[in-house]
Each structure stands twice: as C-alpha cells, then as structure tokens.
Amino acid sequence: MPKLWTETIDAHRAAVRAAVLQTTAALVAEHGLTSVTMSRIAKDSGIGRATLYKYFPDVDSILRAWHEQQISHHLDHLAEVRERAEGAGERLEAVLRAFALVSHESRKHHDGDVAAFLHRDQQVTEAQRRLHGMVRDLLAEAVPTGDVRDDIAPDELAGYCLHALNAAGGLPSKAAVHRLVTVTLAGLRPDLTGPVDHDSSHLPHHHERHSAHGHHPAGS
C-alpha cells in the first residue's frame, strides 16, 4: 500500500477516534454516565454504529481512552510549565500552581459517577506515580537553593503537596486555588525557628508549664 494512502487512512482513523472521544466526553458531561449509549455517540459523532464498534466495544472503553488522553495532556502540560520556568524555586511553584488549576478544572466537569469511574482507571495510578516523581525531583532540586526545607525527605514532601493540592477540585474559584497553593508553598519553606520535637510525651503538661512560670491554671 502506498505510503501516502497509508498516512491518509491513519489520519482518518485518528480523526474519527478524536471525534468519538470528544463527543462522548461532552455527552457524559451533559447527561451523566448512565444516560449515554453507543447509538447516541455514533449519531452525534456523525458515524454509523457499525463503524463505532470497530473502534470501541462499549462506552466504558471510550471513556477510558478519553481519560488516558486527558492524563497524557495534563502531564505534558506540567512538563512544559516546568521547562519554561527558571530557577529551582520558580519551577516548583509553577508546577504546583499548574497542577492545582488542572485539579480544579477537571473536578468541576465530572459528576460523582464519572469521577468514581475514572478513579478506578489504572491510568490514574500510573499518572500519580509519574506526577509524584516529578514533584519529588523538583523539591530535591530546590533544597540546596534554600527554597525548600531539608528536615523532611522530598519523597514525603511530594506526597504532602499532592494531597493538599488535590483539594483544589472542591474549591469555588481560581482565587481560592491560588491561596491554597500559597499556603502549601509556605509549608515547604525552611523552618528558621529550629527543629521542633513533635512527640507530645516530651512536652510538659499544661499545669507544669504554668507552674514553671509561677502561674496556676484558672480555678486551681
């Protein structure tokens, strides 16, 4: 088969696939996961049902393919944001802000059923692993420059960041998202007050602290 013809066929298939993914995502967003059928997807995509079944066996498989595409786009976007920024601290902040905004926009367009379905997708686990690695490496790069605290391992800090910024999905506005990022970044900065023992067993009891200063709890 001539190369030009092969490329034409491949391009046509890619166009059909893209149309199906976009149509399905729009239908699910408008009508909900359980209301979308293969017949409706074929009709709105402008193709026959038989053709649609040559590409996908069911609605679930279309949604998984769409989700995989979205995840890939999001990771590529974060990588681009990272490369555009200069300096370790700037790269870290840029990626964390971009991730928080992606979380905010993505959650806003998913109803409960869709979110639960997509959360079970194996692609999510792989994406989380890659994202965790990206943030961990950025944190590690920012420690020597003094932009990130060195008393907690970057791997642990990365988990803290991602858990905190996932909350952006439930925030009402982009302004709130940016405030969340600001608070998260504040927690990453070096602690200039010195190490703190978080083991409560080593802290004096309330009445002991007051007694040491010659005071007594109210009512004693």
Side-chain angles (χ1 to χ4, degrees):
M1 184 178 294
K3 183 178 180 181
L4 180 60
W5 180 244
T6 301
E7 291 176 350
T8 301
I9 292 176
D10 289 344
H12 172 72
R13 288 172 176 168
V16 171
R17 190 174 189 275
V20 169
L21 297 185
Q22 293 172 5
T23 298
T24 303
L27 287 171
V28 169
E30 182 177 356
H31 302 290
L33 178 61
T34 58
S35 300
V36 179
T37 65
M38 292 292 277
S39 297
R40 180 64 185 273
I41 293 170
K43 178 183 177 182
D44 285 23
S45 299
I47 61 176
R49 283 186 61 193
T51 300
L52 177 59
Y53 278 105
K54 289 179 181 178
Y55 287 83
F56 299 100
D58 51 35
V59 176
D60 286 1
S61 64
I62 299 174
L63 271 180
R64 289 192 183 94
W66 172 81
H67 196 216
E68 180 179 357
Q69 182 185 74
Q70 293 298 109
I71 288 173
S72 179
H73 287 168
H74 290 160
L75 289 173
D76 289 345
H77 170 62
L78 294 179
E80 291 173 3
V81 168
R82 177 190 61 194
E83 297 308 315
R84 287 199 300 266
E86 296 183 4
E90 289 77 6
R91 282 193 293 273
L92 175 64
E93 179 173 352
V95 168
L96 293 185
R97 287 196 183 280
F99 170 69
L101 289 170
V102 166
S103 297
H104 176 67
E105 292 298 322
S106 297
R107 198 80 57 87
K108 188 170 64 177
H109 297 302
H110 295 160
D111 63 22
D113 290 340
V114 175
F117 171 81
L118 295 178
H119 187 71
R120 296 194 299 268
D121 193 344
Q122 292 182 349
Q123 293 293 332
V124 173
T125 302
E126 173 60 18
Q128 288 173 340
R129 186 190 67 79
R130 290 175 58 189
L131 180 61
H132 182 96
M134 180 188 295
V135 174
R136 179 198 61 219
D137 292 346
L138 288 170
L139 287 163
E141 291 173 4
V143 170
T145 62
D147 292 294
V148 169
R149 60 196 305 156
D150 62 0
D151 59 335
I152 302 176
D155 191 67
E156 183 178 340
L157 279 179
Y160 155 66
C161 288
L162 296 177
H163 276 90
L165 296 180
N166 267 319
L171 296 178
S173 67
K174 288 185 178 180
V177 172
H178 286 297
R179 288 193 292 271
L180 172 63
V181 176
T182 298
V183 171
T184 303
L185 287 168
L188 297 176
R189 296 193 182 100
D191 183 4
L192 302 179
T193 62
V196 176
D197 189 346
H198 295 285
D199 185 349
S200 60
S201 64
H202 294 162
L203 296 176
H205 294 298
H206 181 71
H207 70 275
E208 292 174 343
R209 290 199 302 271
H210 282 275
S211 297
H213 294 282
H215 300 296
H216 299 281
S220 60

